[in-house]
Amino acid sequence: MTHPTTLFGRLFAGAFGVVKAFRPNRPIHTQGVLLSGTLELTGAASGIPFLDGAASLPVTARLSRSFGFPVAWPDFIGLAVRFRADDADADLLLASTGWRVPGRFALLMHRTAGVARLTSLMPYRGARGAVLLGARTVGAEPGAPGRFRTDARWDLELFWATPLGPWNRCGSVRLKPVLNAAGRVQDTPLRVDPLLNQLPTAQTYGWTRRLREHSYRLARQ
């Protein structure tokens, strides 16, 4: 018997495929900004060894708007972060959601990145149970794709939480835009895939993989 989450995953992939027919390159998150910076981990007690240690790693990131609405309109905000760990790429995807329970499990639209609360939405599997990751802006508002300032520095605090528990700070992400030869903010062909490039020492739950794997497989084509 097919697992219910597999059925839902196939339904999501079907809808994704319809959009991909009209937007073959990037069906969603069409507008983006290339960023570079540093991931700083200060130590935690999440049950995921990578998060629970101290580290400083260079990152490449992409800030994007999901549907590609006009820049003055709200849209779902996404932040994709890639770094190297143990000689392999690791990808972290965060999306604009609520911050408290139950809002942290629902996507929310915003006009700019600075006001958004970003979470992994689906949990990782740690030694002590399910772990969500989250980030929020500290300091100046950086803008949004289409209006991201060339001199912007985007500082975020990084948190972890159990699905129903409080957020606990575990580090930070410091980002700035990568400019092209003309001195303008640019996009990137970078594509992250958290199923292929998993967070170090973090496991995934079968149901979260089943929900996403069909859409991700289609996106890779």
Side-chain angles (χ1 to χ4, degrees):
M1 181 176 178
T2 303
H3 197 280
T5 51
T6 300
L7 293 176
F8 279 115
R10 289 173 178 169
L11 288 174
F12 294 152
F16 187 83
V18 172
V19 178
K20 187 174 175 65
F22 294 93
R23 292 176 171 178
N25 185 36
R26 286 191 187 272
I28 59 174
H29 293 283
T30 57
Q31 301 173 346
V33 174
L34 174 62
L35 307 162
S36 66
T38 305
L39 167 65
E40 299 279 353
L41 296 175
T42 56
S46 67
I48 297 177
F50 172 73
L51 293 177
D52 296 344
S56 179
L57 299 168
V59 300
T60 300
R62 184 176 187 258
L63 169 68
S64 61
R65 290 163 56 86
S66 180
F67 290 130
F69 292 145
V71 70
W73 296 11
D75 204 340
F76 297 120
I77 304 294
L79 178 63
V81 180
R82 171 169 290 176
F83 55 92
R84 296 284 294 180
D86 298 327
D87 296 322
D89 286 336
D91 292 341
L92 171 63
L93 280 184
L94 301 175
S96 55
T97 68
W99 196 244
R100 299 180 179 178
V101 179
R104 63 180 62 168
F105 303 108
L107 293 168
L108 293 178
M109 290 185 173
H110 296 281
R111 289 186 177 87
T112 63
V115 298
R117 300 294 188 263
L118 305 166
T119 75
S120 58
L121 192 61
M122 294 186 186
Y124 292 94
R125 185 174 186 172
R128 300 171 186 165
V131 177
L132 291 170
L133 295 182
R136 64 184 183 189
T137 298
V138 290
E141 163 68 64
R147 291 184 177 176
F148 205 92
R149 303 194 323 271
T150 58
D151 62 344
R153 172 172 168 159
W154 190 16
D155 294 339
L156 301 106
E157 290 182 317
L158 188 65
F159 297 83
W160 74 273
T162 61
L164 302 180
W167 291 104
N168 305 276
R169 190 178 185 279
C170 60
S172 63
V173 183
R174 312 294 184 192
L175 299 169
K176 60 182 180 181
V178 177
L179 307 182
N180 60 22
R184 296 177 180 174
V185 176
Q186 63 177 341
D187 201 350
T188 172
L190 174 70
R191 296 175 184 272
V192 302
D193 191 321
L195 296 185
L196 291 181
N197 305 319
Q198 295 189 47
L199 197 68
T201 71
Q203 303 297 316
T204 56
Y205 287 96
W207 66 269
T208 65
R209 178 172 288 274
R210 289 189 292 267
L211 281 174
R212 297 186 292 181
E213 62 184 351
H214 300 287
S215 296
Y216 277 93
R217 186 180 302 119
L218 184 60
R220 295 182 203 118
Q221 298 175 2

